[in-house]
Amino acid sequence: MLTVDFARLPVGPGVRVLDLGCGGGRHAFEVLRRGADVIAFDMDQSELDGVAAMFVAMDKAGEVPEGATGEIVQGTALEMPFEDGTFDRIIAAEVLEHIPEDMAAMREIFRVLKPGGTAAITVPSFLPERICWALDEDYHTAPGGHVRIYTLAELSAKLKSTGFEIGPHHHAHGLHAPYWWIKCAVGVNNDEHPLAKAYHELLVWDIMKRPAATRIAEELLNPIIGKSVVLYVKKP
């Protein structure tokens, strides 16, 4: 399940990409499939171990184009172990809402991106996120949880003040917002609730089968209740 639109963030052979806060590696895997060199970067070593194992499995399955490389690096977004201007592209998907010092992380993203490079920054959209916060306090008070709700205007202003040129944006995962509202309504940790389980099964089916009906429904819902907003910015 990709949040970033790679038509807006083109990657390919010879392009060096940082997947910042990669988590399970969904974007890093797609970058590698497209033939670019990717570093999956995260604080959680257990997540990185899983990503590394998948890189190996993809290579054995012939999914990695010749010359493309996938690496893992552990660290924090506030002090990344990379030289200035290392990367052509940076993906920071659902990261900044977890970091109290978000502008320090933005300055690090700016520092390690090459001049002329592009970053895709994604955060939870304001309305779906605000509803989740209202429905269940546990949703945002758990350790490592979300510490703020961004408006698109705030996110853009902070990135602009860091030095970025603000580009286009879009919303994603319109079908996923109702799932999280259900989860928050029944208890965000209550995975066994019948309604939550049924909607989760629907989402898994949609991800695996991608039928036309749900693709159309999500396209219509994205601008209204898309769970994530994706902003593309450029370093001058």
Side-chain angles (χ1 to χ4, degrees):
M1 183 187 73
L2 300 175
T3 306
V4 170
D5 178 3
F6 284 97
R8 301 174 191 251
L9 189 80
V11 300
V15 175
R16 190 162 175 78
V17 183
L18 174 67
D19 186 2
L20 172 61
C22 65
R26 57 198 174 101
H27 287 106
F29 303 145
E30 181 64 19
V31 170
L32 190 59
R33 289 189 187 99
R34 290 171 178 260
D37 300 317
V38 62
I39 289 183
F41 185 82
D42 204 281
M43 292 179 62
D44 189 335
Q45 187 61 51
S46 63
E47 291 271 36
L48 291 173
D49 290 342
V51 173
M54 181 58 74
F55 283 160
V56 172
M58 289 172 62
D59 189 43
K60 289 181 178 178
E63 296 182 33
V64 179
E66 185 176 354
T69 61
E71 305 174 41
I72 61 168
V73 175
Q74 184 184 30
T76 169
L78 301 180
E79 193 175 355
M80 291 191 275
F82 308 115
E83 298 292 331
D84 296 357
T86 297
F87 299 99
D88 302 291
R89 308 280 187 270
I90 296 177
I91 297 168
E94 314 298 295
V95 173
L96 293 177
E97 70 274 13
H98 295 274
I99 302 175
E101 307 90 347
D102 61 336
M103 292 195 70
M106 292 177 190
R107 288 191 291 270
E108 273 291 89
I109 293 170
F110 187 86
R111 181 184 68 80
V112 302
L113 186 63
K114 290 180 181 178
T118 303
I121 311 294
T122 97
V123 298
S125 299
F126 178 83
L127 177 61
E129 186 75 350
R130 186 67 189 86
I131 293 172
C132 287
W133 281 46
L135 287 171
D136 189 354
E137 185 177 358
D138 288 342
Y139 173 81
H140 66 95
T141 58
H146 299 179
V147 299
R148 72 178 58 78
I149 304 175
Y150 288 102
T151 63
L152 178 60
E154 178 191 357
L155 180 64
S156 299
K158 286 184 171 182
L159 288 164
K160 185 175 181 179
S161 70
T162 304
F164 286 106
E165 295 176 352
I166 305 303
H169 73 275
H170 62 87
H171 291 78
H173 311 316
L175 291 177
H176 289 246
Y179 170 70
W180 284 103
W181 296 340
I182 292 168
K183 287 272 287 179
C184 289
V186 303
V188 72
N189 297 312
N190 184 4
D191 295 328
E192 297 305 312
H193 190 279
L195 189 55
K197 287 182 70 174
Y199 202 104
H200 183 264
E201 290 173 1
L202 170 66
L203 292 178
V204 172
W205 173 77
D206 173 59
I207 291 169
M208 298 299 294
K209 301 296 186 180
R210 300 188 64 79
T214 55
R215 294 299 88 220
I216 293 170
E218 184 153 79
E219 287 296 320
L220 294 173
L221 289 171
N222 278 343
I224 306 167
I225 59 168
K227 185 69 172 65
S228 298
V229 59
V230 189
L231 181 60
Y232 300 87
V233 296
K234 185 175 181 179
K235 180 175 179 176

